[in-house]
Amino acid sequence: MQHMKNNIFKLLNLFIIVCPLLTSCGKENFADELNKKLQSLDNISSVTKLQNTNESFTCQYEIYFNMPLDWNKPTENTFKQRVIIDAKAFDIPTVVELHGYALGDKYITEGYTRELPILLNTNFVAIEHRYFNLSIPGAPDYENSSYWDALTVENASKDHEFIIKQLRKVFTNKWIATGTSKGGYVTNVLASYHPDTCDIYVPYVAPLAKQFDNRPFKFLSETAGNKLYGEIRGKEVRDEILKFQLYCFDNKDDLIDLLFSEPYCSKDARFRSAVSHENIFDINMLEFSYIFWQYQRLDITVIEDFLKLEDTAEKVKKAADIIILNDTSVEAFRYNKPHYPYYVTALKEMGNLHYDFTYIKEQASALGKTINISISKEQEIEVYTKMIYSENQLKNFVYSDSVYNHLVEWINDTTIKTKVIMINGLEDPWFYVSIPQPINRGENIRIYNHPTGNHTVQITDFGDNTKNEILNLLNTWLNEK
């Protein structure tokens, strides 16, 4: 009997030793097989295995595709487009994020992922947008328009369609396309122009602005915070934000000196000479309330405590600190910045905000105050565009509303069968320039508006009933044959 026990213990010890080795071998075999499959894809430029920093996945790869710069001229110029892959199996669903911007280092160094791959136990693919970061056709040209000719919504959507269809040869189960903000916009574009690319589409907080759109500024002055705080407290918060803005406008000379110098502004920031620092400051302070409600990162008590301070030079510096805490540095309006391609797309197709001072002036008037601003009503759009774009670009970039009209027509088409779940937050200023929500729409287009959500709203922010409804719907669609 003792001899049998000893043999059993030996077998158990051997199992304890060998099992992790088998698991490790299994992971290595999967990673190696994935490498081979990726290498075999059309237009593949490079495949690099990275150190996996997210335990939810088996391995991580960074790959590049050789892509046509202009899909209407596919044999001419090309560029390399970057894709990050977090994988665990070939036969499970895959979530692809259409990022809309650059893929930050956090995707590699921090094992960053979105909520859907975790909630649904899927692979995760993230596609960097053309003209951003490492997916650019040469050094950016901030002065001439011709460099940006191929940065179109159509070309970007064809990038996404091609890359996803290639990767579907590797990951063979169903695919969900998702994206946030501009990424949500391009998710809607893919769903409407190339609906067969993925099986399901989940755009978060996707904007759909007109050419110059002022609708969010009415919300900011009249109703922002009402759903979050209630109408009485909501108005109090709006008034407190306004009082802070008024203080800044009244002390703009001192604040301009601070905000356009280090440490508040980096020394390599470049601003257009066609506008003054005062013009930039005024638009930046109008945007203060926009960013406050968009992200709600700044606690309103910070402003309340500020408003109690005596007027001193130290108070001016404190105001500058609060502007930075709210993520409203004047650097947002420098032209040599990583997000510049967004502004190109906005002017050409996606639509821009109209920084309209009408509502904040009315809001101030209701408090018996006036605002010290340098921009007349007639100058608002001109000053903004000259602040962002060069003279050559303003002359040659021509706005087209074709994508806007297409998306409005698409959402109103009751015959559409595409499976779409749209996530929005009603306390997000971008909601007020989002896609229409007609009662009569495609039977599989579902829209969920979080009553107090902002631009960071997630499915997991909803109450249990709504959250479970969304997840059950996604799982039902994923399990359909």
Side-chain angles (χ1 to χ4, degrees):
M1 179 67 75
Q2 185 63 38
H3 179 69
M4 288 180 61
K5 286 184 178 180
N6 289 339
N7 286 338
I8 291 171
F9 285 132
K10 287 178 181 179
L11 287 172
L12 285 173
N13 288 331
L14 181 63
F15 179 80
I16 292 169
I17 294 170
V18 171
C19 187
L21 292 175
L22 291 173
T23 302
S24 177
C25 289
K27 289 181 177 181
E28 286 302 316
N29 289 339
F30 171 75
D32 290 343
E33 187 177 355
L34 175 56
N35 191 322
K36 292 175 184 176
K37 288 175 180 278
L38 294 173
Q39 296 280 5
S40 70
L41 298 178
D42 296 343
N43 290 27
I44 203 73
S45 171
S46 65
V47 176
T48 304
K49 185 182 178 185
L50 304 175
Q51 181 178 354
N52 186 31
T53 55
N54 188 327
E55 293 182 356
S56 297
F57 302 99
T58 301
C59 59
Q60 183 179 67
Y61 277 89
E62 179 183 53
I63 66 174
Y64 285 84
F65 286 92
N66 286 317
M67 303 293 282
L69 186 59
D70 187 342
W71 281 92
N72 294 313
K73 305 171 185 175
T75 60
E76 294 187 7
N77 298 325
T78 63
F79 75 104
K80 289 180 170 57
Q81 189 154 11
R82 181 175 179 236
V83 179
I84 303 294
I85 299 172
D86 291 301
K88 61 176 73 177
F90 296 118
D91 58 352
I92 64 172
T94 298
V95 169
V96 57
E97 180 188 12
L98 311 181
H99 194 277
Y101 294 94
L103 296 180
D105 291 342
K106 62 184 179 180
Y107 283 81
I108 295 175
T109 60
E110 300 173 20
Y112 178 79
T113 188
R114 294 292 184 177
E115 67 169 353
L116 287 178
I118 304 304
L119 291 171
L120 300 173
N121 188 32
T122 72
N123 302 305
F124 179 55
V125 173
I127 302 176
E128 188 164 79
H129 206 78
R130 60 166 47 213
Y131 280 78
F132 283 88
N133 194 26
L134 301 177
S135 302
I136 60 173
D141 188 335
Y142 299 111
E143 300 301 324
N144 297 306
S145 61
S146 59
Y147 170 84
W148 306 97
D149 286 347
L151 180 56
T152 66
V153 171
E154 177 187 13
N155 276 331
S157 192
K158 287 182 177 179
D159 293 341
H160 298 144
E161 180 191 26
F162 176 84
I163 290 171
I164 292 168
K165 286 185 174 179
Q166 286 300 307
L167 290 172
R168 292 197 77 154
K169 299 175 185 178
V170 178
F171 304 107
T172 55
N173 205 308
K174 291 192 175 181
W175 278 63
I176 301 173
T178 190
T180 298
S181 191
K182 179 169 175 271
Y185 171 86
V186 297
T187 300
N188 281 333
V189 168
L190 186 67
S192 61
Y193 281 99
H194 309 288
D196 295 333
T197 305
C198 289
D199 303 282
I200 303 168
Y201 297 85
V202 185
Y204 291 72
V205 295
L208 185 63
K210 300 175 182 178
Q211 183 177 11
F212 290 103
D213 210 320
N214 68 348
R215 288 176 291 170
F217 293 97
K218 179 179 175 67
F219 157 75
L220 293 171
S221 291
E222 296 181 2
T223 59
N226 283 0
K227 292 181 175 63
L228 183 62
Y229 296 110
E231 290 188 12
I232 295 175
R233 178 57 180 153
K235 184 179 186 308
E236 290 175 351
V237 171
R238 293 195 302 276
D239 286 347
E240 287 163 348
I241 294 169
L242 174 64
K243 289 173 184 176
F244 175 80
Q245 290 171 296
L246 291 173
Y247 172 87
C248 293
F249 281 119
D250 288 342
N251 292 272
K252 68 167 62 176
D253 290 343
D254 292 334
L255 280 169
I256 286 171
D257 289 342
L258 285 172
L259 292 172
F260 283 89
S261 59
E262 294 185 290
Y264 298 100
C265 182
S266 61
K267 61 183 179 181
D268 65 343
R270 299 291 179 264
F271 299 93
R272 299 289 184 195
S273 59
V275 295
S276 67
H277 282 184
E278 184 180 8
N279 293 156
I280 297 170
F281 174 86
D282 288 350
I283 288 179
N284 192 58
M285 283 315 305
L286 179 60
E287 191 175 58
F288 181 90
S289 60
Y290 199 107
I291 300 298
F292 179 93
W293 292 109
Q294 179 175 342
Y295 296 115
Q296 295 172 29
R297 293 173 180 152
L298 183 66
D299 195 311
I300 189 60
T301 59
V302 173
I303 291 177
E304 291 171 337
D305 292 342
F306 171 85
L307 295 174
K308 298 172 186 176
L309 298 175
E310 297 292 330
D311 287 339
T312 62
E314 186 61 27
K315 186 174 183 179
V316 174
K317 184 178 182 304
K318 180 67 174 175
D321 292 339
I322 291 174
I323 290 170
I324 300 302
L325 280 174
N326 193 53
D327 199 19
T328 38
S329 165
V330 293
E331 279 204 57
F333 297 105
R334 67 184 175 117
Y335 65 82
N336 61 329
K337 61 179 180 177
H339 278 12
Y340 192 76
Y342 159 79
Y343 290 97
V344 174
T345 302
L347 189 64
K348 291 167 64 176
E349 296 178 280
M350 194 175 167
N352 258 311
L353 291 176
H354 170 192
Y355 286 81
D356 187 345
F357 286 86
T358 301
Y359 299 106
I360 194 173
K361 287 179 179 178
E362 292 175 352
Q363 191 184 1
S365 179
L367 294 180
K369 305 287 185 180
T370 58
I371 301 181
N372 175 25
I373 61 171
S374 62
I375 303 168
S376 69
K377 180 67 178 174
E378 295 72 27
Q379 293 175 317
E380 286 172 349
I381 292 176
E382 178 187 7
V383 168
Y384 172 75
T385 54
K386 287 184 175 180
M387 182 172 69
I388 302 295
Y389 310 100
S390 73
E391 184 177 345
N392 174 275
Q393 291 168 349
L394 288 175
K395 180 181 177 181
N396 292 295
F397 287 158
V398 177
Y399 174 75
S400 169
D401 62 1
S402 63
V403 178
Y404 178 92
N405 292 334
H406 168 81
L407 286 171
V408 171
E409 182 180 346
W410 171 71
I411 195 68
N412 281 282
D413 186 349
T414 58
T415 67
I416 287 172
K417 303 299 183 184
T418 312
K419 296 177 172 64
V420 184
I421 294 176
M422 298 181 179
I423 305 296
N424 300 292
L426 298 185
E427 289 286 20
D428 176 12
W430 287 108
F431 175 76
Y432 299 88
V433 286
S434 62
I435 198 165
Q437 300 186 5
I439 295 174
N440 295 318
R441 55 181 182 262
E443 61 180 309
N444 291 322
I445 295 182
R446 312 294 176 87
I447 301 176
Y448 293 88
N449 300 321
H450 192 293
T452 61
N454 57 44
H455 208 56
T456 66
V457 67
Q458 301 286 289
I459 292 171
T460 49
D461 293 328
F462 286 85
D464 286 344
N465 288 341
T466 304
K467 177 183 69 177
N468 291 334
E469 178 183 323
I470 296 170
L471 294 178
N472 288 338
L473 179 58
L474 285 168
N475 280 305
T476 298
W477 284 347
L478 286 173
N479 290 320
E480 285 180 354
K481 300 299 183 184

